[in-house]
Every structure is written in C-alpha cells, then in structure tokens.
Amino acid sequence: MDLISVVVPVYNAEKYIRRCVNSIQNQTYHNLEIILVDDGSPDKSGQICDQLSKEDDRIRVVHKQNAGPGFARNAGIELMTGRYVTFIDSDDWIDASHIENLYNALVLAKADLCIGGHTIVYESGEKIVHPANLEQKVYRGDEIVTQVLLPLIGPEPDYPNDVQLEPSSSMSLYDAQIIKDHNIRFLNGKSVVSEDLYFNMDYLQQSSSVVIMDEVGYFYFVNDQSISRK
C-alpha cells in the first residue's frame, strides 16, 4: 500500500480538530501520515494537536506563525513523504472509506489526480450532497484543459450555477511527486480569492490524466467563524 500524506491546516479549531483527526485515523486505508500544521492558533488548537500526536505515531505536528491556510498547506507539503497527498480543513471531516475510494479510483485509472464531490453540512444538521459536476471518467491530454480546467475557472454561460467544478484542494487526491517536481505551492489566501484555484490550475497543467468520481464522503462544515466565511 502506498503511503498517503494527509495535510491539515489548523487555525482556531479547538472545537473541531479532534473530530477531523479522528475521521482520518479511522480510515479503512491505514497507511497514512497525518501532518497537522498549527497556523499560529491563539486558542488551544496547537495543544490539542500535540496531544493527538502522542496518541498516534502517524501524526506529525508543526507550529508556525500565522500566514493563512495556503501557506499552512505549503508547510505540510515541505514535510510530506507520501506517494500521494490530500488536504483536509480542520473543521471538516471525512467518511471512513473516503481516502480508500479516491486512491482506488486513481490507481485503477492510472491518473495523476482524482477529484470527488462533497457533502455540505450546516450547523443545524442539514446536509446537501454535491457530486462533482462533470462526467465520471478519465480525462487525458487536451481534455484536461477543455473539460476540467476551464469548468474549474468558470462555467459555460448557460450553466445554471456560478460554479461548475469546485476549486477546492480538498476532496481530491494528488500525486505528491508532481507537486515536488514542479514546485507547485499555494498562494497567500489573504491576497487572492481562492488559493486553491491557483494551485489546481498549476497542477492540472502538469497532469497527463485526471479521473472524476462520484465520491461525496468529504463533509464540508459551514462554520460561520471560518476564514473563508468571513
């Protein structure tokens, strides 16, 4: 089994970080390294991360000065040793088979990237399922630009929604070597609308194949106190 790195940027997440990490620990795919990046949290998030690392030797923790989630993910990228990498936000969580589903689809397709969907969860408990709004198949060559990259940037004029394919770096599985070889990094989320979009644009340009799958086991929690909501 290939080692998969899971990078979690952590900021003011003392109420949620255990839920997030526990969902990663309980994956059906066990060969993981979990990198928690404490982005200068003023609450007890950093202390909780340290405690979690004592409970599971797969967990590594780095504490850094606050610079936003994009730079926190970059710190995780510098430390990762896995063959593949995925990113999870500290107030979100994943279904027990989420990583295994992404991994199996990526390996079966011999792809460089696997993109899934997600489920939005509101504080009220309401859930809305959002599958990836592209045909489930393997995209190769020019298809990556015309059928994956362009819908990521913006939908066709007659598309009913503002976003056709979510630009998030979560809910996807990446080839870590491509990221390293081409020095692909996140921009500062405080200076751009979506650092994830730029990261994916850079990554897709270096990919030879991308698989889209019907996987909605990433649970995106609508936290009104999060940086993205504010």
Side-chain angles (χ1 to χ4, degrees):
M1 296 173 67
D2 292 302
L3 179 65
I4 296 178
S5 301
V6 184
V7 176
V8 183
V10 181
Y11 183 77
N12 273 3
E14 63 181 11
K15 294 194 298 183
Y16 311 112
I17 184 60
R18 283 191 179 274
R19 178 180 66 183
C20 174
V21 174
N22 288 343
S23 75
I24 302 169
Q25 291 174 301
N26 294 327
Q27 288 295 292
T28 54
Y29 193 99
H30 301 290
N31 195 21
L32 306 172
E33 69 169 1
I34 306 167
I35 303 174
L36 307 180
V37 184
D38 170 29
D39 192 30
S41 298
D43 66 358
K44 296 180 180 179
S45 295
Q47 299 172 39
I48 297 173
C49 288
D50 288 336
Q51 181 59 44
L52 287 166
S53 70
K54 295 177 182 178
E55 300 169 2
D56 190 335
D57 59 11
R58 296 177 299 173
I59 297 176
R60 304 167 66 188
V61 180
V62 57
H63 301 277
K64 61 181 293 297
Q65 185 175 1
N66 177 254
F71 283 2
R73 294 189 191 101
N74 288 343
I77 287 173
E78 296 299 329
L79 291 175
M80 68 182 182
T81 61
R83 177 69 179 81
Y84 301 101
V85 61
T86 188
F87 303 95
I88 300 175
D89 290 341
S90 56
D91 51 358
D92 299 338
W93 68 96
I94 53 177
D95 184 78
S97 60
H98 173 70
I99 291 178
E100 184 173 17
N101 291 338
L102 294 178
Y103 174 78
N104 287 343
L106 185 144
V107 171
L108 180 64
K110 297 181 180 179
D112 298 324
L113 172 64
C114 178
I115 301 175
H118 65 288
T119 299
I120 295 178
V121 182
Y122 294 90
E123 289 189 281
S124 64
E126 179 187 3
K127 296 181 180 180
I128 301 177
V129 175
H130 282 267
N133 290 322
L134 288 179
E135 182 182 355
Q136 296 174 43
K137 70 170 194 174
V138 181
Y139 296 80
R140 303 186 189 279
D142 292 342
E143 291 180 330
I144 295 176
V145 172
T146 60
Q147 299 182 42
V148 181
L149 179 56
L150 291 181
L152 188 74
I153 297 171
E156 293 286 342
D158 59 351
Y159 191 76
N161 299 317
D162 292 336
V163 177
Q164 184 170 351
L165 184 63
E166 291 287 342
S168 174
S169 61
S170 302
M171 64 201 81
S172 298
L173 185 64
Y174 300 84
D175 186 317
Q177 198 60 49
I178 291 177
I179 294 174
K180 293 176 181 178
D181 288 346
H182 299 280
N183 196 31
I184 300 172
R185 297 293 186 274
F186 289 88
L187 299 177
N188 187 347
K190 296 180 180 180
S191 62
V192 297
V193 174
S194 173
E195 70 271 17
D196 300 63
L197 174 59
Y198 291 91
F199 181 87
N200 280 319
M201 287 171 61
D202 288 342
Y203 187 90
L204 284 169
Q205 292 181 76
Q206 306 300 334
S207 302
S208 60
S209 56
V210 176
V211 60
I212 304 292
M213 72 169 300
D214 184 16
E215 215 292 335
V216 292
Y218 185 101
F219 294 95
Y220 171 76
F221 182 60
V222 180
N223 174 13
D224 290 335
Q225 299 305 311
S226 69
I227 292 175
S228 60
R229 297 294 287 181
K230 287 184 176 182

